Amino acid sequence: MRVRRVGAVVITVAALAAGVTACGGGGDTFVVGIKIDQPGLGQKQPDGSFKGFDVDVAKYVAKELGYKDDQIEFKEASSANRESFIQQGQVNAVIATYSITDDRKKKIGFAGPYLITGQDILTRADDTTINGVEDLKTKKVCGAQGSSSPKRLVDKFGEAWKDQYLTEQQGYGACLPLLENKQVDAISTDATILAGFATQSPGKFRLVGKPFSEEKYGIGVKLEDKELREKINKAVEKMFADGSWKKAVDANFGEFGTFFTTPPAIERY
């Protein structure tokens, strides 16, 4: 349900020159596809480094597979090119708010899930009138162009609702000023995305915390590479068990970390 530019920006060029090995721990580098413009999840910093929950998961997994920090390469992945990146061997793995679905499982393999979220609602902190999706029926809502999140609301409330109440921007970051300035009443998409943006403005926004869909974030690898998938699963389970997962949640989602307190069960298939 994410909306991002089509086309990849190679963050580091050494990865492809060195060659991508999809067996985990067998190559010179571990190349990971991530989002680079989602606060709290995957965001490129002014100094060129990367920050976010997905980034922390990627670093932990790579370390467990035997890679050092300077052997991890990040490459921007859009929602549109994640499968092709994996299938063409441009990355070892994709960790980019990548929801596990039956259709995608026909094309690639998934380790995880490492986080479960769902479409939720962000309002102003002082607005107590919105406490669930039904309350959006008479509220102005901001969504991202091309995202499935606004579509889910249109399917629920109808085209007339869309014409009267829905505002769409190029990205969810552009919705925040509209919410803050009371031009809209709410923003609706994945709770993790909402939490990431809202964490940048402590105390200004409230996450309703009643998701009305389910998104299981997984780590995408080549369909046939069951060995790597199992190694990653074990690394994620270790991250759950040793407290690193909870630490990453708190560090990246701030006051909204309370909505993501329980690690999910790994799904092996």
Side-chain angles (χ1 to χ4, degrees), residues 32-108:
V32 186
I34 61 169
K35 299 288 183 70
I36 68 166
D37 55 359
Q38 289 187 336
L41 291 159
Q43 186 177 40
K44 187 176 181 180
Q45 303 300 296
D47 65 0
S49 64
F50 302 92
K51 182 180 180 181
F53 185 74
D54 284 353
V55 175
D56 288 345
V57 172
K59 289 180 177 179
Y60 189 98
V61 166
K63 182 179 179 181
E64 288 300 306
L65 294 179
Y67 294 94
K68 298 178 182 178
D69 286 346
D70 61 1
Q71 292 178 298
I72 305 171
E73 308 283 353
F74 290 112
K75 180 174 181 177
E76 182 184 3
S78 71
S79 295
N81 63 23
R82 291 176 296 199
E83 278 91 15
S84 63
F85 271 15
I86 295 167
Q87 292 170 332
Q88 295 168 9
Q90 295 189 50
V91 296
N92 294 95
V94 168
I95 307 177
T97 61
Y98 203 2
S99 296
I100 301 172
T101 67
D102 288 340
D103 182 60
R104 288 171 178 166
K105 285 163 67 174
K106 297 174 183 177
K107 304 171 186 176
I108 64 163

Side-chain angles (χ1 to χ4, degrees), residues 16-234:
L16 296 183
V20 175
T21 303
C23 60
D28 294 330
T29 56
F30 189 70
V31 186
V32 186
I34 61 169
K35 299 288 183 70
I36 68 166
D37 55 359
Q38 289 187 336
L41 291 159
Q43 186 177 40
K44 187 176 181 180
Q45 303 300 296
D47 65 0
S49 64
F50 302 92
K51 182 180 180 181
F53 185 74
D54 284 353
V55 175
D56 288 345
V57 172
K59 289 180 177 179
Y60 189 98
V61 166
K63 182 179 179 181
E64 288 300 306
L65 294 179
Y67 294 94
K68 298 178 182 178
D69 286 346
D70 61 1
Q71 292 178 298
I72 305 171
E73 308 283 353
F74 290 112
K75 180 174 181 177
E76 182 184 3
S78 71
S79 295
N81 63 23
R82 291 176 296 199
E83 278 91 15
S84 63
F85 271 15
I86 295 167
Q87 292 170 332
Q88 295 168 9
Q90 295 189 50
V91 296
N92 294 95
V94 168
I95 307 177
T97 61
Y98 203 2
S99 296
I100 301 172
T101 67
D102 288 340
D103 182 60
R104 288 171 178 166
K105 285 163 67 174
K106 297 174 183 177
K107 304 171 186 176
I108 64 163
F110 276 107
Y114 62 92
L115 187 72
I116 295 179
T117 186
Q119 185 168 344
D120 210 325
I121 304 163
L122 192 73
T123 69
R124 290 179 296 276
D126 60 355
D127 186 346
T128 60
T129 66
I130 300 175
N131 297 291
V133 64
E134 295 296 336
D135 295 328
L136 297 181
K137 190 172 184 179
T138 56
K139 299 292 185 178
K140 294 181 179 179
V141 180
C142 188
Q145 295 172 358
S147 168
S148 62
S149 297
K151 183 179 182 302
R152 184 175 281 115
L153 294 175
V154 174
D155 289 344
K156 181 176 181 61
F157 295 128
E159 289 293 327
W161 178 88
K162 175 182 178 181
D163 294 339
Q164 185 173 359
Y165 293 108
L166 181 63
T167 297
E168 294 185 276
Q169 299 294 315
Q170 289 187 342
Y172 288 102
C175 288
L176 278 179
L178 301 184
L179 179 59
E180 186 174 2
N181 296 326
K182 299 185 178 182
Q183 293 172 267
V184 298
D185 302 304
I187 306 170
S188 184
T189 189
D190 285 9
T192 47
I193 296 175
L194 296 173
F197 280 113
T199 299
Q200 296 183 311
S201 304
K204 289 186 178 181
F205 304 106
R206 176 174 64 90
L207 187 64
V208 170
K210 293 182 180 177
F212 47 97
S213 73
E214 183 177 74
E215 308 293 336
K216 297 179 178 180
Y217 289 173
I219 299 173
V221 299
K222 282 190 174 181
L223 181 63
E224 66 273 15
D225 201 342
K226 296 182 180 179
E227 180 183 354
L228 177 58
R229 191 169 73 207
E230 181 55 22
K231 287 181 178 180
I232 293 175
N233 275 332
K234 289 181 178 178

